[in-house]
Amino acid sequence: MTGKRKYGDGCAAAHALDLIGERWGLLIVRELLLGPKRFTELQAGLPNASSNALSQRLHELEESGVVQRRKLGPPAAVWVYELTEWGLDLEPVLIHLGRWGRRSPSRDPHAMASVDALMLALRSHFDPDADPGLSATIAVRLGDDRFSVRVSGGTLTITRADPADPVAVIDTDLRSFAALVIKKRPLKDLPVAIKGDEEAVHRLLATL
């Protein structure tokens, strides 16, 4: 991080901002919370970030120990970026930051977010007390993006992968899923295909 301007403040929060407070830093973390990504996939999730800015932030986050780069094994054999164990600890920070930001009177509720941002919104909207008995794994397919959403013991877990044995599959596009989850539009009014246990899907949606 040589050459970066720092706060020069002994507070641990100020030091944390030295590490992740630069423009795009926390959003890169957001894009990697659900699993590793290639550089081009990060660009797709952050279309307003230039290649140079994205490369610089990734380099800084690697230097600080928040992000690491590794090569996937065959058959992929491509380089990906992923969060370190320490970097993954930022998830609750982003979840609470999102909850705080939702209350802003100047936020544009119609602006589209990335696929990963939408999936993390499931975590921030999840109310475990709404259905404490719910236990299910549901596949969410948004175009080429695949996610496993598991609710068990009052905890909602999301990973970037097709689950092995889901009780139901939700297949739709990003905008329709956002309307379903964030705007609470009825399922019957949206182009959403559900296979398997529809009751489990309705129970999941009722917890948001």
Side-chain angles (χ1 to χ4, degrees):
M1 294 187 295
T2 305
K4 270 188 65 177
R5 288 184 300 175
K6 297 184 179 182
Y7 288 106
D9 190 304
C11 169
H15 177 64
L17 288 172
D18 282 338
L19 300 177
I20 59 170
E22 290 289 330
R23 184 171 171 81
W24 303 114
L26 270 176
L27 294 190
I28 289 172
V29 172
R30 180 197 73 190
E31 291 297 304
L32 295 176
L33 275 172
L34 302 180
K37 282 188 173 184
R38 294 173 293 175
F39 186 83
T40 53
E41 292 171 327
L42 282 169
Q43 283 183 307
L46 300 169
N48 294 320
S50 69
S51 295
N52 287 341
L54 194 53
S55 295
Q56 183 177 348
R57 292 295 167 264
L58 284 166
H59 177 68
E60 291 165 356
L61 291 169
E62 278 189 88
E63 278 194 324
S64 65
V66 176
V67 167
Q68 62 189 10
R69 190 168 175 257
R70 69 179 173 91
K71 191 173 185 179
L72 295 179
V78 296
W79 287 95
V80 295
Y81 293 91
E82 64 184 1
L83 294 176
T84 61
E85 186 174 348
W86 186 46
L88 285 167
D89 287 342
L90 285 165
E91 180 174 356
V93 175
L94 275 163
I95 295 296
H96 285 288
L97 193 61
R99 288 172 178 161
W100 182 78
R102 277 207 306 270
R103 303 202 307 271
S104 168
S106 59
R107 175 175 172 263
D108 181 1
H110 303 295
M112 282 302 296
S114 74
V115 173
D116 286 69
L118 178 58
M119 295 307 296
L120 286 171
L122 291 182
R123 293 287 306 274
S124 64
H125 283 75
F126 178 66
D127 178 8
D129 296 326
D131 191 344
L134 178 59
S135 180
T137 299
I138 296 173
V140 177
R141 298 173 180 173
L142 305 175
D144 293 331
D145 292 289
R146 301 287 190 268
F147 297 95
S148 170
V149 178
R150 175 167 175 75
V151 180
S152 180
T155 300
L156 186 146
T157 305
I158 303 171
T159 53
R160 186 180 290 109
D162 245 332
D165 192 21
V167 298
V169 177
I170 301 173
D171 198 336
T172 186
D173 59 89
L174 177 61
R175 191 172 294 276
S176 298
F177 194 63
L180 181 66
V181 172
I182 307 300
K183 300 177 182 178
K184 310 302 181 185
R185 292 270 305 278
L187 264 171
K188 62 182 179 61
D189 295 341
L190 297 167
V192 178
I194 298 176
K195 297 177 182 178
D197 188 348
E198 289 194 25
E199 182 186 356
V201 173
H202 284 286
R203 289 177 68 182
L204 170 65
L205 294 174
T207 66
L208 304 178

